[in-house]
Structures are given as C-alpha cells and as structure tokens.
C-alpha cells in the first residue's frame, strides 16, 4: 500500500514538473485597427529582392503600392481592386512588368491577410513586447501579421516564402470636407531615372494610346 501511495505521488510530481517546463504562450487580444484606410512607407524583402515604396489601403480589396526603389521598379504603381491588378508608370497603363511579378504575388497575400483580419471584432494573437503577432495560413503559405498597440499593421512575414514587409510610419487616410479622400504624400526634390525596362513599358503604353 505504501509503495502504491509513493508511486502515485511520484507520478503526480513528474506531471507537475513536466507541465511547469512547458513554456506558456501569452495569448491575448487587442483592438482592431486594420479596418480603416491607411498609408505607409514600406520595405519589402522577397528572397534577394529588396524594394521600397508607398503602400495604401482604401478599403476591403482596394489597395495600391508605388515603388521608389530599386531602379527596375521606381515609379511603377500597382493597383489592386477586388482581385484585379493593373500597373502604371506616370499615368500610363501597361501590363505588370516581369520585375514586379514577385511583389504582386506577395502583395496579394498581404491584402488577403489584412482584409480577413480587418473583419474581426478584435485581434487575437501572441504578445511579443509591444507587438501582437497574429498567425494564420493562406494558399500561399503560413504568415505572421504583427500589429502595434493601436492594432495597426507593423510587419507581415511569410517565412517559407522568405517574405518580410515592414511598415514605416503608418498614418490613417481621412476625408476632406467635400468627401474626397485626402492623402498626404511626400515628394522628393529629384526623381530617379526610370530603368530601361520601365522606359520600354512607358513607350509601349504611349504607342498603344496613339
């Protein structure tokens, strides 16, 4: 009988030690700051490609991104409207250039992840300092969407695709008194010369217009 009691206490002690050794995830919830129109400078890294630009979300499925670098993408603007994607350069429309195809594919993943979470009453994930990391899965693979204390996007990652999109200085887009969208845009004193590929796309668009 004593052996049985001793064995029972030993098993309980082992179970308690095992439970204590497993790290507990600090899962929590946060207010949802995704369901709004916003803009942000972004840094996009896809494998060996590094790009920078201005990203805007106008509503569910309606986004655009205009690139400032690298040279092969500088000045190119991709517009996403409920699944359709168009490209333009200084107002001239053309087919999405080869250099922008990887970014286009990953942008569709970002849009899907943000828009899906924007429909929720609150965001749920794991606390990591001041950030809340929301994990999910899309057709393109698993993702981690990090939001700040206001529930606004801070970083989007798809580790299996070697993708990281970092938001730099996000601001909410408001409306003017006449109902038009107000977007404050930063301008630079000098514009980078478009790459040969972009110039070719512009010439093609011009000839089609004529």
């Amino acid at each position: 009988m004593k052996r049985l009691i001793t064995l029972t206490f030993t098993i309980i002690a082992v179970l308690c030690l095992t439970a204590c050794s497993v790290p507990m995830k600090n899962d929590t919830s946060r207010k949802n700051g995704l369901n709004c129109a916003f803009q942000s400078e972004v840094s996009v890294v896809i494998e060996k490609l590094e790009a920078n630009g201005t990203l805007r979300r106008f509503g569910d499925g309606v986004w655009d991104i205009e690139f400032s670098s690298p040279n092969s993408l500088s000045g190119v603007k991709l517009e996403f409207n409920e699944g359709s994607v168009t490209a333009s350069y200084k107002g001239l429309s053309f087919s999405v250039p080869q250099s922008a195809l990887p970014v286009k594919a990953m942008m569709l993943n970002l849009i899907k992840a943000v828009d899906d979470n924007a429909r929720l009453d609150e965001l749920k994930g794991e606390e990591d300092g001041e950030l809340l990391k929301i994990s999910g899965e899309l057709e393109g693979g698993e993702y981690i969407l990090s939001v700040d204390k206001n529930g606004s996007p801070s970083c989007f990652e798809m580790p299996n695709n070697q993708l990281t999109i970092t938001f730099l200085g996000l601001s909410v887009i408001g409306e003017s008194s006449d109902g038009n969208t107000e977007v404050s845009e930063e301008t630079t004193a000098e514009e980078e010369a478009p790459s040969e590929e972009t110039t070719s796309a512009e010439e093609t668009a011009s000839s089609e217009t004529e």
Side-chain angles (χ1 to χ4, degrees):
M1 188 64 163
K2 290 182 180 180
R3 289 181 179 178
L4 181 59
I5 295 175
T6 302
L7 180 61
T8 301
F9 277 111
T10 301
I11 294 173
I12 293 174
V14 170
L15 291 175
C16 289
L17 289 173
T18 303
C20 292
S21 65
V22 177
M24 299 293 290
K25 287 187 177 181
N26 188 19
D27 291 334
T28 186
S29 60
R30 189 169 293 188
K31 68 178 182 180
N32 195 336
L34 301 175
N35 192 20
C36 65
F38 59 76
Q39 73 171 23
S40 177
E41 298 300 310
V42 290
S43 170
V44 182
V45 178
I46 307 174
E47 297 181 352
K48 296 181 179 180
L49 172 66
E50 296 184 14
N52 294 281
T54 301
L55 175 69
R56 301 178 186 85
R57 178 185 192 265
F58 298 100
D60 196 341
V62 184
W63 296 60
D64 71 36
I65 183 170
E66 185 167 359
F67 299 97
S68 56
S69 68
N71 286 339
S72 59
L73 289 174
S74 182
V76 174
K77 184 177 184 180
L78 298 181
E79 296 180 79
F80 302 81
N81 192 345
E82 298 180 352
S84 65
V85 185
T86 58
S88 62
Y89 178 76
K90 294 187 177 180
L92 299 174
S93 299
F94 54 91
S95 60
V96 179
Q98 188 73 23
S99 57
L101 290 179
V103 180
K104 169 192 168 184
M106 292 302 102
M107 275 295 301
L108 290 171
N109 285 315
L110 167 67
I111 291 170
K112 175 67 174 172
V114 172
D115 286 349
D116 283 353
N117 283 284
R119 301 185 189 104
L120 304 176
D121 293 331
E122 60 181 7
L123 302 175
K124 295 183 179 180
E126 183 179 350
E127 292 279 0
D128 183 10
E130 295 184 353
L131 298 177
L132 180 73
K133 293 194 170 185
I134 305 165
S135 299
E137 187 168 358
L138 304 168
E139 289 185 6
E142 297 179 350
Y143 72 84
I144 301 172
L145 174 63
S146 299
V147 299
D148 60 19
K149 61 183 180 181
N150 298 315
S152 300
S154 176
C155 184
F156 178 74
E157 303 169 87
M158 297 187 75
N160 292 339
N161 295 314
Q162 301 180 52
L163 166 70
T164 302
I165 300 177
T166 305
F167 292 76
L168 309 168
L170 183 144
S171 58
V172 175
I173 299 174
E175 289 188 350
S176 61
S177 57
D178 58 4
N180 294 323
T181 302
E182 277 188 339
V183 181
S184 56
E185 296 185 77
E186 294 183 359
T187 57
T188 55
E190 298 179 358
E191 285 189 4
E192 292 185 52
S195 67
E196 181 180 344
E197 180 178 359
T198 304
T199 304
S200 176
E202 180 183 8
E203 291 174 351
T204 302
S206 298
S207 61
E208 289 178 354
T209 302
E210 294 174 357

